[in-house]
Amino acid sequence: MTSGLTSGWTSGTTSPQQTRPSAAAKPVRWAADAVATLREGAGLRLDHSAQSLWRVDRVIDGIRRERAPYAAVETALRGLGAYAGEVIVRESGGEWWATGGDHWVRTPDGRLWDPFDEARRCFAGDGSLRLLCRDATAAP
């Protein structure tokens, strides 16, 4: 289980109002693409609820069981990680943060979460986007 990220990067130089729009643009688009792909390709409807992450974990588990090479599913995993991040943002009142091309979710308590890494961990059989959301939205 991934807990809040710790890093040397701090947010002291920009306000959330300045960071949110540009930091959120790519992950929001990736999440929307994943939702559309699952709806059109598998008939699976995702509603941005914490409960929907059960289905996302099962989708990733199915991809893993098919033994697809990581390179073939990297974009799908990025989209599913972005979807989980959007769920965390909506459930917690958090926001997307970005630096150096990497994206995280920052919850109101200041913790940073990496749903993309958790999606990769799910694919490796050692993670859960549902549990990441549970931890991110729980009181510290």
Side-chain angles (χ1 to χ4, degrees), residues 43-91:
L44 183 62
R45 298 206 181 274
L46 299 175
D47 61 3
H48 289 88
S49 68
Q51 294 80 15
S52 70
L53 293 175
W54 279 95
R55 287 176 287 214
V56 174
D57 278 347
R58 285 195 303 254
V59 166
I60 295 173
D61 185 53
I63 294 169
R64 181 174 43 80
R65 281 184 281 141
E66 290 175 3
R67 299 184 188 272
Y70 177 77
V73 297
E74 184 175 10
T75 300
L77 292 173
R78 181 187 69 190
L80 295 172
Y83 173 78
E86 264 304 287
V87 170
I88 294 168
V89 165
R90 293 175 186 204
E91 293 279 326

Side-chain angles (χ1 to χ4, degrees), residues 101-117:
D102 293 325
H103 295 82
W104 301 282
V105 171
R106 183 174 184 258
T107 50
D109 58 17
R111 295 179 294 169
L112 292 173
W113 304 87
D114 188 344
F116 302 104
D117 183 58

Side-chain angles (χ1 to χ4, degrees), residues 5-28:
L5 286 177
T6 56
S7 73
W9 178 70
T10 62
S11 62
T13 58
T14 38
S15 71
Q17 292 78 19
Q18 294 168 328
T19 305
R20 170 70 177 155
S22 63
K26 286 181 181 180
V28 168

